[in-house]
Amino acid sequence: MIMKKYIFLIAVGLMVFTTIFSQNKKTMEYIDNWKKVDEFERKSLPKSAAAEVNNILLKAISDSNHPQAIKAVIHLAKYELNIDYENDTYIFHKLNQMIDSSNNSVEKSVMHSMLGEMYIQYYQRSSWEISKKTDLGDFVPDDMKEWTRNIFYNKVVEHMNASVEDVKNLEGVDVGKYDAVVSLGKSSRSYFPTMYDFLSQRRIDILKKLSSDMDLSRVLSRKKISVEDLFASTDSYIDIEFNAGPREYNIWVLEAYRDYLSSLVNRGMKESALLVELQKLDYLQILPTYYEKYSEKFLRGMLQKWYDSPLGVEIVDKLTTLLNQKVSRAHSDENSQYTKEIYDILKQYIDRYPKYERIGLLENKLNNLVSSRFTLSGSGTFPIEGDKKFSISYRNLTSLKLKLYSVESSVAVLENNYNRQRLLKDKSTFIKDIDLSFPASEEYLFNNYDFEISIDKPGVYMLLNSDEGGLSKTEESKLVFSVSDLSLFSRAVDNNEYEFFVVDRVSGKHIPGASVDIYKLPNNWLNSHLVLQETIITNDIGLARYKKDIPNYDVYYSARLKDDSGSTLNR
């Protein structure tokens, strides 16, 4: 949604604070260092640039130069490289001192936000070692390397909450004046124009990274909060008293949403509140059972309220995603009903708001919904004299040309299954074209069409769709089947000893004198082919016994009798 452009500022948008705070003489001392960083960036050497920025960070902390420290941490985040916390844990101590000594409310808020993120990054990088430590309860050792998970998490909560504590002041700081930084998010600037918006978004985003050992639904029940209330409208949601306690980390996320929505409502920013509500709805997928139960009602209510607004596009994007999930689980009639609703609502909002900046979300969904598709299906093996019936499930097609091929052997089929580079077309002979015509139907619905192919010769065959270049290079739409009267069964009778039983597929009678071919794979599918190891013959009652002496499990077998070699290859 639009919000994502704003959240993007988490990685690079914090550079705005460089502009806010760096207009002083002290920055001149760092010019040469930053020139080196620029040079490394021009040469596409991010690791070297990050190393130089890390030097700047250490110098800035030593100098208590708040703007340069902020700028350095931001640049390290931009390179997506970790600060060397293991050797520089005192960074945390120094940043805490800088927060305490700062008289600038916005600067303090920014540093709280940064410090909270640095704590969770440190924990995530060292979580394996930290998880081995015994929980220390409320005791916090002076040495950060002795901290347990709950201490890191509590520090994150502490600093992220502190980052938005000065609500009124932060609400008065306009991000829009820093066009050079926020030019990528002009739409976001109109919906989320203040530093409070920015820091609230960061608070929510960072708190989401704290995993909780407590079941959210049980915690809510203990607080006498109905899960359904989480899916309520903003006016009702902001009245919920969460009273998040120690280690109730998922409750802190819900409280952060409440605080932010309250601010938006108090400022009369209804459109911004809508976008945050949709973000909150995404988060509530952590309660899958309740999400499935309440989210559709929530979205339909929102859509009714915002029916005449372009922002309805954002709601439709969420609602159609939800309905599409129901399509995959629905019965045939319900499937058609949901699909039609998705189609109608997408068309409606595309036609109504064709110039909305994110209308492409719905256009892509509509294109996927009506794109021409088909799937072939049929029995894996047909008897020689029986009907060869197939079915095709298709959408938005009036005709289709298929090509029928005779495949060299079932060995070629298996090798193709395990190694797609070995195309069946290289082991196939073209037989004929098969032209199919379909009755007209709705462009968004799948329909079924049945057809038969006349084949009376045993063997392995392939149906493949035709395109302008002939065979599909990927062969994704192929259907491989066999024509054979042979059925082959096997069982283990002793250690490395097996019995094979060959019968007539139609009558069930045993077949004496049938050949059972045993294949092995010498190496792997990428650099070797199946090799015929041995052929054994069934006795008078259709049985053949085989003692395996191949030192691996890559053994395959199939049956044949005279001209009938259509039996599939089994493992």
Side-chain angles (χ1 to χ4, degrees), residues 283-337:
Y283 175 69
L284 291 177
Q285 292 185 61
I286 64 172
L287 297 164
T289 301
Y290 297 100
Y291 180 85
E292 183 175 350
K293 184 176 182 180
Y294 298 121
S295 58
E296 182 178 347
K297 178 183 176 182
F298 171 82
L299 288 170
R300 291 189 185 278
M302 293 276 284
L303 189 59
Q304 186 175 3
K305 180 179 178 181
W306 292 87
Y307 183 79
D308 293 322
S309 169
L311 284 178
V313 169
E314 304 293 341
I315 304 172
V316 168
D317 178 47
K318 301 290 185 184
L319 179 59
T320 51
T321 296
L322 187 66
L323 293 176
N324 195 52
Q325 293 171 355
K326 290 195 169 187
V327 167
S328 62
R329 300 191 300 265
H331 296 297
S332 179
D333 292 341
E334 290 179 328
N335 184 307
S336 299
Q337 176 185 336

Side-chain angles (χ1 to χ4, degrees), residues 479-496:
L479 175 66
V480 177
F481 60 95
S482 297
V483 175
S484 175
D485 285 340
L486 303 178
S487 284
L488 176 59
F489 303 93
S490 67
R491 66 177 181 179
V493 293
D494 202 349
N495 186 32
N496 288 331

Side-chain angles (χ1 to χ4, degrees), residues 222-479:
R222 189 170 64 247
K223 293 176 177 288
K224 301 188 184 310
I225 298 173
S226 169
V227 176
E228 185 176 4
D229 290 342
L230 303 184
F231 296 85
S233 63
T234 294
D235 292 339
S236 298
Y237 182 81
I238 60 178
D239 289 334
I240 300 175
E241 295 184 6
F242 290 105
N243 298 319
R247 307 196 185 198
E248 293 179 345
Y249 305 117
N250 40 24
I251 296 293
W252 277 114
V253 177
L254 298 175
E255 189 155 306
Y257 272 121
R258 186 204 61 190
D259 294 344
Y260 188 23
L261 287 168
S262 295
S263 169
L264 294 172
V265 169
N266 291 336
R267 286 182 279 161
M269 301 175 66
K270 295 181 179 180
E271 292 181 332
S272 304
L274 163 64
L275 297 176
V276 176
E277 280 187 288
L278 293 177
Q279 183 192 21
K280 174 173 69 73
L281 182 66
D282 285 342
Y283 175 69
L284 291 177
Q285 292 185 61
I286 64 172
L287 297 164
T289 301
Y290 297 100
Y291 180 85
E292 183 175 350
K293 184 176 182 180
Y294 298 121
S295 58
E296 182 178 347
K297 178 183 176 182
F298 171 82
L299 288 170
R300 291 189 185 278
M302 293 276 284
L303 189 59
Q304 186 175 3
K305 180 179 178 181
W306 292 87
Y307 183 79
D308 293 322
S309 169
L311 284 178
V313 169
E314 304 293 341
I315 304 172
V316 168
D317 178 47
K318 301 290 185 184
L319 179 59
T320 51
T321 296
L322 187 66
L323 293 176
N324 195 52
Q325 293 171 355
K326 290 195 169 187
V327 167
S328 62
R329 300 191 300 265
H331 296 297
S332 179
D333 292 341
E334 290 179 328
N335 184 307
S336 299
Q337 176 185 336
Y338 285 131
T339 304
K340 183 180 187 305
E341 182 178 7
I342 294 171
Y343 176 82
D344 289 342
I345 196 171
L346 288 174
K347 289 276 290 183
Q348 179 184 6
Y349 273 81
I350 290 171
D351 293 342
R352 183 179 293 179
Y353 303 110
K355 295 183 179 180
Y356 180 68
E357 62 178 334
R358 284 166 51 84
I359 197 64
L361 288 172
L362 306 192
E363 291 173 337
N364 289 338
K365 285 188 172 184
L366 182 61
N367 290 336
N368 288 332
L369 187 63
V370 301
S371 61
S372 298
R373 300 281 179 85
F374 74 91
T375 303
L376 287 166
S377 60
S379 176
T381 304
F382 296 95
I384 296 174
E385 296 184 359
D387 296 331
K388 284 74 176 177
K389 295 182 178 181
F390 301 87
S391 181
I392 182 168
S393 176
Y394 68 93
R395 181 178 68 192
N396 201 12
L397 286 171
T398 57
S399 62
L400 185 68
K401 175 175 285 190
L402 302 176
K403 291 182 177 292
L404 178 64
Y405 292 84
S406 173
V407 182
E408 181 181 279
S409 69
S410 57
V411 171
V413 175
L414 192 66
E415 291 186 338
N416 170 259
N417 289 341
Y418 283 98
N419 186 345
R420 295 294 180 179
Q421 300 302 315
R422 299 173 183 174
L423 297 180
L424 280 183
K425 70 176 183 179
D426 297 332
K427 301 288 185 178
S428 304
T429 302
F430 173 72
I431 298 177
K432 64 179 179 179
D433 288 317
I434 299 172
D435 295 311
L436 304 176
S437 296
F438 308 127
S441 65
E442 300 291 349
E443 62 178 344
Y444 55 85
L445 289 180
F446 274 98
N447 298 274
N448 292 320
Y449 181 84
D450 297 327
F451 63 100
E452 294 186 21
I453 300 177
S454 177
I455 303 174
D456 57 7
K457 183 179 179 181
V460 182
Y461 296 87
M462 174 175 63
L463 278 173
L464 196 64
N465 68 301
S466 175
D467 57 25
E468 293 181 358
L471 287 174
S472 169
K473 292 184 178 179
T474 61
E475 299 183 352
E476 291 177 351
S477 303
K478 71 177 183 294
L479 175 66

Side-chain angles (χ1 to χ4, degrees), residues 202-216:
R202 275 183 57 83
R203 179 193 182 197
I204 291 169
D205 189 64
I206 300 301
L207 290 177
K208 285 179 180 178
K209 297 180 180 181
L210 306 181
S211 57
S212 178
D213 297 329
M214 300 181 181
D215 181 87
L216 179 56

Side-chain angles (χ1 to χ4, degrees), residues 84-126:
D84 189 7
Y85 297 139
E86 284 295 330
N87 296 320
D88 300 313
T89 54
Y90 78 96
I91 288 177
F92 293 89
H93 176 67
K94 286 290 186 179
L95 284 177
N96 275 294
Q97 287 185 335
M98 290 167 66
I99 290 173
D100 293 338
S101 64
S102 175
N103 294 320
N104 186 307
S105 173
V106 180
E107 182 180 280
K108 289 177 66 127
S109 297
V110 172
M111 287 193 289
H112 274 302
S113 183
M114 289 170 50
L115 196 50
E117 183 173 24
M118 289 168 68
Y119 276 125
I120 190 60
Q121 288 176 343
Y122 182 98
Y123 170 76
Q124 289 175 337
R125 196 182 67 173
S126 307

